[in-house]
Amino acid sequence: MTDRLYLSDPYLKSFRARVIGMRDLDGKPAAVLDRSAFYPEGGGQPGDRGTLGGARVLDTQERQGEVLHIVDQAVSGEVDAEIDWTRRFDHMQQHHGQHLLSAAFDKLEAPTVSFHLGDRTCTIDLDAPLGKLDLRQAEAMANDSIWRDLPVIARDFTGEERSRLPLRKEPVKGDRVVVVEGVDASPCGGTHPKRTGEVGCIAVLRAQRWGEGKARIEFVCGNRVVKLLREANETLLQAADALKAAPADLAQAAARVTSESQARRKSLESLQTDLAKLEAAQLMTKPGPVVAKVERGAAFARAVAQAISSQGRTALIASIEDGRAHLCFARPKGEGPAMGTLLKEALAILGGKGGGGPEFAQGSGDPARLDDALALAAGKI
Ligand SMILES: [Zn+2]
């Protein structure tokens, strides 16, 4: 049985221990120690990493009551061990922050049903509809608990002691309870700081509906708030630079660019239609069906074909765009050859795909035998 040093001293970063066994966990070697400060994954908090002798500890897991240190190579005898403290302290900030945020939501009648500590952000799922939640109030209450820098008690409580605590949830295993007086009492085997102030601060980032009558809250604590704010600020500055605007005017600048681009697109579409009509007029100088290849791609070929068919003539128009041959076949309404059938026959030569009805069809294929395909279709009109 491993003596779990993190329970009595969550600040222990390095220790000496004896390897009492090697196990196999999903094909990876895992060391069992007589004592360990490594926290095994549980209660939403990931397992610790670090070093064990000359080996790297990649993860720490618990199986059948044993603490397994998953290592990149086998270890034996007495070893010096060190946990990745930066990572662990980050987990302590997120995990304890979660206790305080869940306690705040609990007071607002939104109990927590699960917690996930991710690489970048954390989430809690609440058994309450999204519309009922006051995120800013819960955030303010949790930050108030942090800034009052209250003592955090994490120890085993006897059944009798526990019965007198206003527990936020039912104990899952063990007798350990984490108590911040007047704020929260919650059964938990995780690692916690000595005082709430070490969490630093909590920022609720966003909330979304998560199943019927439930909500998922995304948040960060401590140093992650600083990191995320720095990243967000950099993104803001880059965006402002790209839009040639002051960061404070970014929203207005983005809205202006979007509306300008919409106006430009409309004007471009109208110019393209006019240009297609001109091109169509030039192609219609000779009588009979119009068979032609045009520049400017698929959309332009379509506009030209439609302009010709609206003048009562059949059009077989092709254009090459991005290395593909695009075909647009159109004819006036009424009796006439089925454009869809004609197109399929032409595309069979190009090894392409497409389709359409009797009056209009389009598709694309390999341009190598485009002239053959157009000639075949023209011969059938
Ligand atoms: Zn906890």
Side-chain angles (χ1 to χ4, degrees), residues 8 22 43 52 66 138 140 165 169 187 199-200 210 221 224-225 236 238-239 242 288 321 339 368:
S8 51
M22 287 299 296
L52 203 56
E66 274 191 330
L165 288 172
K169 56 179 185 180
V199 175
W210 200 256
C221 306
R224 291 194 187 194
V225 177
L236 212 63
Q238 283 168 2
E321 185 177 6
M339 294 292 112

Side-chain angles (χ1 to χ4, degrees), residues 95 99 178 188 190 192:
H95 181 124
H99 273 244
V178 177
C188 180
H192 290 265

Side-chain angles (χ1 to χ4, degrees), residues 232-248:
N233 193 46
E234 275 165 18
T235 307
L236 212 63
L237 290 176
Q238 283 168 2
D241 193 44
L243 289 172
K244 310 228 173 319

